[in-house]
Amino acid sequence: MGKSRGGLTTKIHAAVDALGNPVRLLLTPGQASEYGQAEALLDGFTPDQVLADKGYDSDAFVESIQRVGAEAVIPSRKNRQQPRPLDRHIYKDRNLVERFFQKLKQFRRIATRYERLAKNYQSMLSLVSAVIWLA
């Protein structure tokens, strides 16, 4: 998955809990958009709030979040005609996702993408996530 002229590229989509521990990881090719897997990340969860970056700013995704009864804390893209209001105080907690990705990069096998097959890479991500949960 994700073989290009530049080498192996795979995008990791992660959902973390309020403590920054991973609860779901999905892989897509590097050229895929973020919100293509957004609903799959939330499937089966009943969150109070969903924090995401501008890449997940989609009317359909925000509506699906509101159908679950959660609040969407997603900044609007700059090309949006009518920007949605954003609670910046709550949005600051999105750094937990960024910290999780920094923890992933501490594991050389994940950071350098040694695995050629997506299922093997997903397995290594699951193993590293278990180690992060235990730490």
Side-chain angles (χ1 to χ4, degrees):
M1 175 184 294
K3 183 83 168 171
S4 69
R5 285 182 286 170
L8 292 170
T9 58
T10 302
K11 201 175 280 187
I12 303 169
H13 302 273
V16 299
D17 63 4
L19 299 175
N21 295 321
V23 291
R24 183 166 291 151
L25 297 169
L26 300 174
L27 295 177
T28 58
Q31 71 272 15
S33 68
E34 279 83 9
Y35 63 83
Q37 295 295 319
E39 291 191 30
L41 280 174
L42 296 178
D43 190 33
F45 296 125
T46 55
D48 293 331
Q49 298 165 336
V50 175
L51 287 70
D53 62 359
K54 289 181 183 183
Y56 292 93
D57 181 27
S58 162
D59 289 332
F61 182 52
V62 171
E63 288 173 11
S64 68
I65 291 171
Q66 291 171 346
R67 268 186 264 135
V68 177
E71 176 188 1
V73 184
I74 303 172
S76 300
R77 291 189 192 144
K78 64 181 178 181
N79 63 352
R80 185 175 273 280
Q81 296 294 325
Q82 296 179 346
R84 283 190 319 278
L86 177 68
D87 187 346
R88 295 247 179 232
H89 183 69
I90 294 173
Y91 186 69
K92 288 179 183 179
D93 288 335
R94 198 185 73 76
N95 73 59
L96 294 170
V97 177
E98 300 301 329
R99 283 196 237 160
F100 166 69
F101 279 109
Q102 292 302 318
K103 289 176 189 174
L104 276 182
K105 290 178 184 180
Q106 297 299 314
F107 295 87
R108 187 171 145 208
R109 192 170 194 126
I110 299 295
T112 56
R113 181 66 160 87
Y114 283 147
E115 309 300 330
R116 290 191 168 269
L117 299 177
K119 67 177 183 173
N120 293 347
Y121 192 56
Q122 180 76 38
S123 299
M124 288 307 299
L125 283 172
S126 299
L127 182 62
V128 167
S129 295
V131 170
I132 290 172
W133 265 93
L134 294 173

